[in-house]
Amino acid sequence: MKATKLAEGVYWVGAIDWNLRDYHGYTLPGTTYNAYLVVGKKHTALIDNTYPGHEYQMMERIKDVIDPKKIDFIVANHVEKDHSGALPMLTKLLPGVPIYCTEVAVTGFGKHYDTKGWNFKTVKSLDKLDLGGKTLVFVEAPLLHWPDSMFTYLAEDKILFPNDAFGQHIASCERFDDELGKEASLYHAQKFFANLIVPLAPKVLKKLDEVTKLGIPIDMVAPSHGIIWRSYVGDMLGSYVNWCNGVAKDKVTIVYDTMHHSTDLMAQTLAEGIMAEGVAVKVCLLKDGRFEGTHRSNVVTDILDSKAVLVGSPTLQDEVYPTVADFLSYLHGVRPGRLATKKIGFAFGSHGGQGGAVKIITEGLKKAGIETINDGYEVLYKPDAAELARCYELGREVAHRVKKM
Ligand code: FEO
């Protein structure tokens, strides 16, 4: 297996997980667990490692560069197992090897592994590690996204290793943004951000500001998942700032499920009203195995660059449909309300007598930080012509609001 060179003495030695399709509720076309080898004149360091079960790939790629026994230091930017799972094997292979991490990470590792005998070296922001012509600088990044998280910066080559931040979940033969292509790279970054980073948006903005004030030049960003940014670093950082600020398109995402196609008919008609006003719309039937619908993680990716979100459901035994309950729970966790610009929305749906789903959805939207612009629209059984006309008008109304935002 081959390592990939980033710069003189700097190599990607990670693992490609081609088969992963679900990662904590996120559907993905595989991923990579990126690890990096930095070979200085005096010492060699390994930055991050792999999910348990993927150590073999990493070790084979390391062997493409050096004898793994020549690794002098391990840098552990993050405790989560997808970046630390090889530590038990590495600490056996390299007894006493210094592991550079934050103080909080030591406790975290102790809860994941038997760390007896592990040689932790705790670091704080701007502490340095000299490898001989290669200087690693550590920057604590608490709660980005775990309390233990930190970034590592390789000064001479101007490479930032920010662990999960700026990553994307994709398994591919390409290692760099310009190989995968700008559009695909930014799309996968958007999905990663929409599902995992949105709740952290205020902290991300603060950290970006802090790093900017440090005045450190960054030529390359090498995250712990997906491709490495070298040609589109500015586009990616600009997108992160925009996403954190809630910058969105004149676009509405409609997400729903349906029992007898009544809520479906409402969704389609709302979309027609929105389109009639020249506003973009994405219609997402939730996926539950009955239909080839849209996975929740793809829906929130569309919501990230939409100004409005409409959620629909039939009432089933006084509740929302199970898929819609699942989606609302996920949306609450993602918390689009943390973005600097609020999104608007409302609920819609049909019922067979008592109703109730629309009220539940309205509450769910509010909990997720979305400003509801009405109390929702609920119809009995099947929408008739007048009710469909109302849906069309509601579509036009939300489109008008979007154009003014
Ligand atoms: Fe927080 Fe990729 O792990």
Side-chain angles (χ1 to χ4, degrees):
M1 289 183 192
K2 293 283 178 200
T4 301
K5 190 171 171 181
L6 277 69
E8 205 54 53
V10 187
Y11 303 88
W12 173 84
V13 290
I16 306 171
D17 185 347
W18 295 99
N19 300 322
L20 192 66
R21 290 293 175 272
D22 183 273
Y23 194 49
H24 43 55
Y26 181 129
T27 185
L28 67 176
T31 193
T32 61
Y33 312 113
N34 295 340
Y36 300 95
L37 200 63
V38 182
V39 185
K41 289 195 185 88
K42 293 188 291 188
H43 302 293
T44 295
L46 176 68
I47 301 177
D48 293 325
N49 51 89
T50 68
Y51 202 74
H54 294 268
E55 298 92 338
Y56 173 73
Q57 265 197 57
M58 182 185 74
M59 295 310 285
E60 290 301 300
R61 293 189 208 284
I62 292 172
K63 284 180 199 165
D64 188 39
V65 183
I66 56 156
D67 175 353
K69 289 203 167 157
K70 292 194 171 152
I71 293 171
D72 300 294
F73 307 123
I74 288 173
V75 175
N77 280 322
H78 181 28
V79 166
E80 199 165 2
K81 284 170 77 173
D82 49 339
H83 310 297
S84 69
L87 283 177
M89 178 275 291
L90 288 166
T91 48
K92 276 199 185 78
L93 180 76
L94 307 163
V97 63
I99 301 170
Y100 288 80
C101 62
T102 62
E103 197 170 335
V104 182
V106 176
T107 311
F109 286 127
K111 294 290 284 180
H112 283 77
Y113 309 106
D114 177 4
T115 57
K116 206 159 14 133
W118 290 19
N119 181 17
F120 291 114
K121 302 280 183 198
T122 60
V123 295
K124 294 197 182 310
S125 279
L126 303 186
D127 282 355
K128 292 185 174 70
L129 179 61
D130 180 13
L131 305 178
K134 302 272 185 201
T135 311
L136 300 180
V137 185
F138 306 109
V139 179
E140 292 170 278
L143 298 174
L144 282 179
H145 66 125
W146 279 15
D148 51 81
S149 299
M150 71 172 186
F151 299 170
T152 298
Y153 176 67
L154 173 54
E156 289 78 2
D157 297 293
K158 306 180 182 68
I159 303 175
L160 183 69
F161 302 94
N163 197 263
D164 281 323
F166 315 119
Q168 337 87 50
H169 281 310
I170 179 171
S172 71
C173 56
E174 294 87 2
R175 294 278 72 78
F176 295 100
D177 53 359
D178 44 74
E179 294 172 350
L180 185 66
K182 182 175 168 182
E183 199 179 328
S185 300
L186 287 172
Y187 170 74
H188 288 288
Q190 176 174 338
K191 181 168 176 178
F192 192 92
F193 186 99
N195 283 273
L196 305 170
I197 311 290
V198 168
L200 315 171
K203 287 192 172 63
V204 173
L205 276 179
K206 214 169 139 205
K207 185 55 69 180
L208 284 172
D209 189 46
E210 198 183 307
V211 171
T212 306
K213 281 184 182 141
L214 286 176
I216 55 173
I218 297 173
D219 283 354
M220 208 180 282
V221 175
S224 58
H225 295 290
I227 55 87
I228 297 154
W229 302 94
R230 67 176 176 188
S231 293
Y232 307 119
V233 174
D235 295 277
M236 180 272 291
L237 291 174
S239 295
Y240 255 63
V241 171
N242 284 341
W243 293 329
C244 288
N245 281 322
V247 174
K249 301 172 183 161
D250 282 359
K251 173 180 165 185
V252 182
T253 295
I254 300 177
V255 49
Y256 70 104
D257 205 340
T258 193
M259 192 187 304
H260 296 302
H261 290 287
S262 294
T263 308
D264 181 43
L265 199 51
M266 295 176 80
Q268 310 289 341
T269 312
L270 284 160
E272 290 297 323
I274 294 162
M275 286 189 283
E277 291 299 321
V279 166
V281 63
K282 185 74 179 277
V283 180
C284 307
L285 172 68
L286 286 163
K287 187 173 187 146
D288 75 346
R290 294 170 303 145
F291 306 110
E292 268 309 308
T294 311
H295 192 269
R296 64 172 98 75
S297 59
N298 290 326
V299 176
V300 298
T301 306
D302 269 301
I303 288 175
L304 179 65
D305 65 9
S306 295
K307 290 180 179 171
V309 53
L310 314 184
V311 181
S313 174
T315 298
L316 176 66
Q317 294 165 335
D318 302 327
E319 286 289 340
V320 291
Y321 236 51
T323 45
V324 179
D326 168 282
F327 172 74
L328 288 173
S329 165
Y330 195 72
L331 187 71
H332 180 237
V334 167
R335 285 185 177 80
R338 292 263 175 93
L339 300 172
T341 308
K342 297 284 173 276
K343 298 182 188 299
I344 59 169
F346 63 82
F348 64 95
S350 67
H351 64 88
Q354 273 188 280
V358 157
K359 188 161 181 270
I360 295 168
I361 294 168
T362 302
E363 287 310 309
L365 287 171
K366 286 180 183 165
K367 259 175 75 178
I370 289 169
E371 182 198 333
T372 51
I373 57 171
N374 57 42
D375 294 332
Y377 188 50
E378 201 159 31
V379 305
L380 177 66
Y381 299 128
K382 198 169 175 220
D384 59 23
E387 287 162 337
L388 287 177
R390 180 68 190 133
C391 285
Y392 189 83
E393 280 312 306
L394 282 169
R396 288 188 62 201
E397 281 170 34
V398 76
H400 273 297
R401 292 279 293 255
V402 158
K403 285 194 277 190
K404 285 188 186 152
M405 288 170 78

